Structures are given as C-alpha cells and as structure tokens.
Amino acid sequence: MTTSIPTVVLIHGAFADATSWSGVITELQSEGIPVIAPPNPLRGLAADAAYVASVAAQIDGPVVLVGHSYGGALITVAGTTENVVGLVYVAAYVLEEGESLGELQGRFPDSPLVSNLKQWTYPVAAGDPAAEVTITAEAFPSVFAADVPADVTKVLAVAQRPLAAGAFTETASAAAWQTKPSWALVAGADQAINPEVERFGAERAGATVVEIAGASHAVAVSQPKEVAALILDAVRAVG
C-alpha cells in the first residue's frame, strides 16, 4: 500500500489523441486526483511503451497507468516501471509477454475495423517509407464511436492520429499485470476491438472487470463518468 494519492496517467490509443480523455480528466480532477494525459507517439510498441515508462518514471510518487485500446498494450509493458502500482484497461488490448496485437486478435473473429482501414506512408530516417493506418472517414462513426453524437464523430474522424502498421506485429517484452493489480472495462458494443478480445485479455490477467453493454470503442468519450469510476476504484485500492 502507498501513502500518497497515486497520479493517474492516461494513455490514448490509435486513431485518437489525449483530448479523448477530456471528460474523464474532468471527473478525476473533481475528486482531487492528480492526472496527466501525455501524447502517445503511435510509432511502435517498444518505442511507445518506453516513452510511457519514461513519463511514469519522472512522476514523484505512485502511478496508476490507464490505457485505452492500443494504449493497453503499452501500459502492459510500461507498467513494469517501479513506481507504477496499478493498471487500468479501457476497451483495450491486454497482451501476454511475447504476444503481439495481431496474435491476440487472431484468436477471435475480426472486428469491422479490419476491413475499414486506410493505409498511408510516412518518411523514416533510413530506408523506404513506413506504413501507417487510419480508419476511413465514412466508417469511423460506426466503427469507433457509435454512441457519440454525429457532429462530434465528424470532427474526430478527420482529426485521427494514425498508428504505425508495424505496431501490430511487435511483441510485448513484459506483462506488468503478472505482478501488479489490474482493472478492465469491456465495451460490449465495440466495433474496433472484438469485445471477446477485451474479455479474454482481462480475464487472463486476473483483472477486476466491468462491462458496459452498449458502449462503443470510444467509451471514454461517451461515458466518462463510468470510466472515471473504474479508475477511482483502482486508485482507492492501491492508494
């Protein structure tokens, strides 16, 4: 047990940015919880997890890492950082050590996301351009944020942060949930990650699981109070 209130570090996933946590941040701040929502580089599992770990390590006192979607894979690795005391997965991938996103997803039927990705390229320091993906603008509302108002999804669809395609095949170098307590929120109507993927990973990790039946992948946007409530449960349990 720790003696100070843990700082909550919110890690967004692909096709979004840190503003997707805005409602959750408001809820946590109203409860006096220190919180930070850094940008996720979205360039690859190892590099992104190292960045998240560096953010956590520079915070004085205990940290609860919260990951949405691909961010869940990152906190799984970065959570081995010494001052991280808990992990919260929000509609997220919960990887095992040595497992990739593609391997975990491959255990279950594809979600609609898979057939609605658009590929782009970006320059890298050496060699050929690398590939990155976004969700097609037309499919974005139904795939990512079906329970978010249409005028909001139109904005989110054109403000996406792309994910490096290589992130799907990189394997997790560690699984912090093996030694640290975890919580998970399953979005029951998720069309971006098959909810079975979320349930399987959470149960394998021994997480305390909450499921919201009608929630889309963008549950942190559509239901911030419920997401914040789970994070608060984690903070109180370890703080």
Side-chain angles (χ1 to χ4, degrees):
M1 289 296 201
T2 56
T3 53
S4 58
I5 299 174
T7 297
V8 171
V9 178
L10 302 167
I11 306 301
H12 68 82
F15 322 125
D17 62 23
T19 61
S20 60
W21 293 112
S22 295
V24 175
I25 292 168
T26 299
E27 295 293 326
L28 294 175
Q29 289 179 333
S30 73
E31 296 288 338
I33 304 299
V35 58
I36 179 173
N40 179 349
L42 301 176
R43 296 293 78 167
L45 181 54
D48 296 342
Y51 177 75
V52 172
S54 76
V55 171
Q58 292 175 73
I59 294 171
D60 289 331
V63 166
V64 170
L65 285 180
V66 182
H68 173 245
S69 189
Y70 166 67
L74 303 186
I75 70 168
T76 295
V77 177
T80 58
T81 306
E82 189 175 353
N83 62 326
V84 173
V85 293
L87 309 166
V88 182
Y89 295 92
V90 178
Y93 294 106
V94 187
L95 296 181
E96 174 63 275
E97 184 176 351
E99 186 176 53
S100 70
L101 297 178
E103 287 169 343
L104 176 55
Q105 285 191 144
R107 296 168 181 256
F108 302 93
D110 284 344
S111 71
L113 171 77
V114 177
S115 58
N116 287 288
L117 291 175
K118 177 177 172 62
Q119 187 159 307
W120 308 73
T121 61
Y122 65 97
V124 290
D128 296 327
E132 61 184 12
V133 290
T134 57
I135 304 171
T136 63
E138 311 78 58
F140 186 92
S142 63
V143 168
F144 197 88
D147 56 353
V148 176
D151 58 335
V152 177
T153 62
K154 284 181 182 177
V155 175
L156 297 178
V158 298
Q160 292 179 63
R161 297 263 323 274
L163 175 65
F168 291 101
T169 55
E170 281 190 62
T171 58
S173 61
W177 50 259
Q178 292 176 340
T179 57
K180 298 182 181 182
S182 60
W183 289 256
L185 186 150
V186 174
D190 200 327
Q191 299 293 298
I193 300 177
N194 184 334
E196 287 296 328
V197 173
E198 299 171 20
R199 291 186 197 107
F200 172 82
E203 289 168 9
R204 180 173 61 180
T208 300
V209 181
V210 171
E211 181 155 348
I212 302 180
S216 78
H217 193 59
V219 62
V221 178
S222 63
Q223 306 205 39
K225 288 182 184 294
E226 289 78 1
V227 173
L230 182 64
I231 296 169
L232 284 167
D233 286 347
V235 168
R236 288 166 181 150
V238 300

Short mmCIF file of all heavy atoms in Angstrom, two decimals, residues 127-157:
data_model
loop_
_atom_site.label_atom_id
_atom_site.label_comp_id
_atom_site.label_asym_id
_atom_site.label_seq_id
_atom_site.Cartn_x
_atom_site.Cartn_y
_atom_site.Cartn_z
N GLY A 127 15.99 4.26 -45.29
CA GLY A 127 15.23 3.23 -45.99
C GLY A 127 13.93 3.75 -46.59
O GLY A 127 13.69 4.95 -46.68
N ASP A 128 13.10 2.80 -46.98
CA ASP A 128 11.83 3.13 -47.63
C ASP A 128 10.85 3.72 -46.62
O ASP A 128 10.98 3.51 -45.41
CB ASP A 128 11.22 1.87 -48.25
CG ASP A 128 12.09 1.31 -49.37
OD1 ASP A 128 12.75 2.12 -50.07
OD2 ASP A 128 12.12 0.08 -49.53
N PRO A 129 9.83 4.45 -47.11
CA PRO A 129 8.81 4.96 -46.20
C PRO A 129 8.12 3.82 -45.44
O PRO A 129 8.01 2.71 -45.94
CB PRO A 129 7.83 5.67 -47.14
CG PRO A 129 8.61 5.99 -48.36
CD PRO A 129 9.61 4.87 -48.50
N ALA A 130 7.67 4.12 -44.24
CA ALA A 130 6.95 3.14 -43.43
C ALA A 130 5.44 3.34 -43.61
O ALA A 130 4.99 4.40 -44.04
CB ALA A 130 7.33 3.31 -41.96
N ALA A 131 4.68 2.31 -43.27
CA ALA A 131 3.22 2.36 -43.43
C ALA A 131 2.55 2.71 -42.11
O ALA A 131 3.01 2.33 -41.03
CB ALA A 131 2.71 1.02 -43.93
N GLU A 132 1.46 3.45 -42.22
CA GLU A 132 0.61 3.74 -41.08
C GLU A 132 -0.84 3.65 -41.53
O GLU A 132 -1.13 3.70 -42.73
CB GLU A 132 0.91 5.13 -40.49
CG GLU A 132 0.67 6.27 -41.45
CD GLU A 132 1.06 7.63 -40.87
OE1 GLU A 132 1.73 7.67 -39.83
OE2 GLU A 132 0.68 8.64 -41.49
N VAL A 133 -1.75 3.50 -40.55
CA VAL A 133 -3.16 3.31 -40.90
C VAL A 133 -4.06 4.24 -40.10
O VAL A 133 -3.76 4.61 -38.96
CB VAL A 133 -3.62 1.84 -40.68
CG1 VAL A 133 -2.97 0.93 -41.71
CG2 VAL A 133 -3.31 1.36 -39.26
N THR A 134 -5.18 4.61 -40.74
CA THR A 134 -6.29 5.30 -40.07
C THR A 134 -7.57 4.54 -40.42
O THR A 134 -7.57 3.63 -41.26
CB THR A 134 -6.44 6.76 -40.53
OG1 THR A 134 -6.62 6.78 -41.96
CG2 THR A 134 -5.22 7.59 -40.16
N ILE A 135 -8.66 4.91 -39.78
CA ILE A 135 -9.97 4.36 -40.13
C ILE A 135 -10.57 5.26 -41.22
O ILE A 135 -10.47 6.49 -41.12
CB ILE A 135 -10.91 4.33 -38.91
CG1 ILE A 135 -10.28 3.53 -37.77
CG2 ILE A 135 -12.27 3.75 -39.29
CD1 ILE A 135 -11.03 3.63 -36.46
N THR A 136 -11.17 4.68 -42.25
CA THR A 136 -11.78 5.52 -43.28
C THR A 136 -12.80 6.45 -42.63
O THR A 136 -13.51 6.06 -41.69
CB THR A 136 -12.48 4.67 -44.36
OG1 THR A 136 -13.55 3.93 -43.76
CG2 THR A 136 -11.50 3.72 -45.03
N ALA A 137 -12.88 7.67 -43.14
CA ALA A 137 -13.75 8.68 -42.54
C ALA A 137 -15.21 8.24 -42.53
O ALA A 137 -15.95 8.52 -41.58
CB ALA A 137 -13.60 10.01 -43.28
N GLU A 138 -15.62 7.52 -43.59
CA GLU A 138 -17.02 7.09 -43.68
C GLU A 138 -17.35 6.05 -42.61
O GLU A 138 -18.45 6.03 -42.06
CB GLU A 138 -17.31 6.48 -45.06
CG GLU A 138 -16.85 7.29 -46.27
CD GLU A 138 -15.35 7.15 -46.53
OE1 GLU A 138 -14.85 6.03 -46.71
OE2 GLU A 138 -14.69 8.21 -46.52
N ALA A 139 -16.40 5.17 -42.32
CA ALA A 139 -16.64 4.09 -41.36
C ALA A 139 -16.38 4.51 -39.92
O ALA A 139 -16.85 3.83 -38.99
CB ALA A 139 -15.77 2.89 -41.71
N PHE A 140 -15.66 5.60 -39.74
CA PHE A 140 -15.23 5.98 -38.39
C PHE A 140 -16.38 6.05 -37.38
O PHE A 140 -16.27 5.48 -36.28
CB PHE A 140 -14.47 7.31 -38.42
CG PHE A 140 -13.88 7.70 -37.09
CD1 PHE A 140 -12.58 7.34 -36.77
CD2 PHE A 140 -14.61 8.42 -36.16
CE1 PHE A 140 -12.02 7.69 -35.54
CE2 PHE A 140 -14.08 8.77 -34.93
CZ PHE A 140 -12.78 8.40 -34.62
N PRO A 141 -17.50 6.72 -37.69
CA PRO A 141 -18.56 6.82 -36.68
C PRO A 141 -19.07 5.47 -36.20
O PRO A 141 -19.17 5.23 -34.99
CB PRO A 141 -19.66 7.62 -37.39
CG PRO A 141 -18.92 8.43 -38.40
CD PRO A 141 -17.82 7.54 -38.88
N SER A 142 -19.37 4.55 -37.11
CA SER A 142 -19.93 3.26 -36.71
C SER A 142 -18.89 2.35 -36.07
O SER A 142 -19.19 1.62 -35.13
CB SER A 142 -20.57 2.56 -37.91
OG SER A 142 -19.60 2.26 -38.89
N VAL A 143 -17.66 2.41 -36.55
CA VAL A 143 -16.61 1.51 -36.05
C VAL A 143 -16.04 1.98 -34.72
O VAL A 143 -15.81 1.17 -33.81
CB VAL A 143 -15.47 1.40 -37.10
CG1 VAL A 143 -14.24 0.72 -36.50
CG2 VAL A 143 -15.94 0.63 -38.31
N PHE A 144 -15.83 3.27 -34.57
CA PHE A 144 -15.09 3.79 -33.42
C PHE A 144 -15.98 4.40 -32.35
O PHE A 144 -15.68 4.29 -31.17
CB PHE A 144 -14.09 4.84 -33.91
CG PHE A 144 -12.98 5.16 -32.92
CD1 PHE A 144 -11.81 4.43 -32.92
CD2 PHE A 144 -13.11 6.20 -32.02
CE1 PHE A 144 -10.78 4.72 -32.02
CE2 PHE A 144 -12.09 6.51 -31.12
CZ PHE A 144 -10.92 5.76 -31.12
N ALA A 145 -17.07 5.03 -32.78
CA ALA A 145 -17.78 5.91 -31.82
C ALA A 145 -19.29 5.93 -32.07
O ALA A 145 -19.90 6.98 -32.15
CB ALA A 145 -17.21 7.32 -31.92
N ALA A 146 -19.90 4.75 -32.14
CA ALA A 146 -21.31 4.65 -32.49
C ALA A 146 -22.24 5.31 -31.47
O ALA A 146 -23.36 5.70 -31.81
CB ALA A 146 -21.71 3.19 -32.69
N ASP A 147 -21.78 5.45 -30.22
CA ASP A 147 -22.64 6.06 -29.19
C ASP A 147 -22.23 7.51 -28.88
O ASP A 147 -22.60 8.06 -27.84
CB ASP A 147 -22.63 5.22 -27.91
CG ASP A 147 -21.24 4.98 -27.34
OD1 ASP A 147 -20.24 5.37 -28.00
OD2 ASP A 147 -21.13 4.42 -26.23
N VAL A 148 -21.48 8.11 -29.80
CA VAL A 148 -21.08 9.52 -29.68
C VAL A 148 -21.89 10.32 -30.69
O VAL A 148 -22.13 9.84 -31.80
CB VAL A 148 -19.57 9.67 -29.95
CG1 VAL A 148 -19.14 11.14 -29.93
CG2 VAL A 148 -18.76 8.87 -28.92
N PRO A 149 -22.34 11.54 -30.34
CA PRO A 149 -23.15 12.34 -31.28
C PRO A 149 -22.47 12.52 -32.63
O PRO A 149 -21.23 12.67 -32.72
CB PRO A 149 -23.30 13.68 -30.55
CG PRO A 149 -23.20 13.33 -29.10
CD PRO A 149 -22.20 12.21 -29.03
N ALA A 150 -23.28 12.52 -33.70
CA ALA A 150 -22.76 12.55 -35.07
C ALA A 150 -21.89 13.77 -35.34
O ALA A 150 -20.89 13.68 -36.05
CB ALA A 150 -23.91 12.49 -36.06
N ASP A 151 -22.27 14.93 -34.79
CA ASP A 151 -21.47 16.14 -35.05
C ASP A 151 -20.08 16.03 -34.44
O ASP A 151 -19.12 16.58 -34.97
CB ASP A 151 -22.20 17.40 -34.54
CG ASP A 151 -22.51 17.35 -33.06
OD1 ASP A 151 -22.62 16.24 -32.50
OD2 ASP A 151 -22.65 18.43 -32.45
N VAL A 152 -19.98 15.29 -33.34
CA VAL A 152 -18.67 15.07 -32.71
C VAL A 152 -17.85 14.08 -33.52
O VAL A 152 -16.66 14.29 -33.76
CB VAL A 152 -18.83 14.57 -31.26
CG1 VAL A 152 -17.47 14.28 -30.63
CG2 VAL A 152 -19.59 15.60 -30.42
N THR A 153 -18.48 13.00 -33.98
CA THR A 153 -17.72 11.98 -34.72
C THR A 153 -17.19 12.53 -36.04
O THR A 153 -16.13 12.10 -36.50
CB THR A 153 -18.56 10.72 -34.99
OG1 THR A 153 -19.68 11.05 -35.81
CG2 THR A 153 -19.02 10.08 -33.71
N LYS A 154 -17.89 13.47 -36.64
CA LYS A 154 -17.39 14.07 -37.88
C LYS A 154 -16.05 14.77 -37.65
O LYS A 154 -15.16 14.73 -38.52
CB LYS A 154 -18.41 15.08 -38.43
CG LYS A 154 -19.62 14.45 -39.10
CD LYS A 154 -20.55 15.54 -39.63
CE LYS A 154 -21.80 14.95 -40.26
NZ LYS A 154 -22.72 16.01 -40.71
N VAL A 155 -15.91 15.40 -36.50
CA VAL A 155 -14.66 16.06 -36.15
C VAL A 155 -13.59 15.02 -35.82
O VAL A 155 -12.45 15.09 -36.31
CB VAL A 155 -14.86 17.03 -34.97
CG1 VAL A 155 -13.53 17.62 -34.52
CG2 VAL A 155 -15.83 18.14 -35.35
N LEU A 156 -13.95 14.04 -34.99
CA LEU A 156 -12.99 13.02 -34.59
C LEU A 156 -12.44 12.26 -35.80
O LEU A 156 -11.26 11.89 -35.84
CB LEU A 156 -13.63 12.04 -33.61
CG LEU A 156 -14.11 12.60 -32.27
CD1 LEU A 156 -14.77 11.50 -31.44
CD2 LEU A 156 -12.97 13.24 -31.51
N ALA A 157 -13.30 12.03 -36.80
CA ALA A 157 -12.90 11.24 -37.97
C ALA A 157 -11.79 11.91 -38.76
O ALA A 157 -10.93 11.23 -39.33
CB ALA A 157 -14.11 10.99 -38.87
#
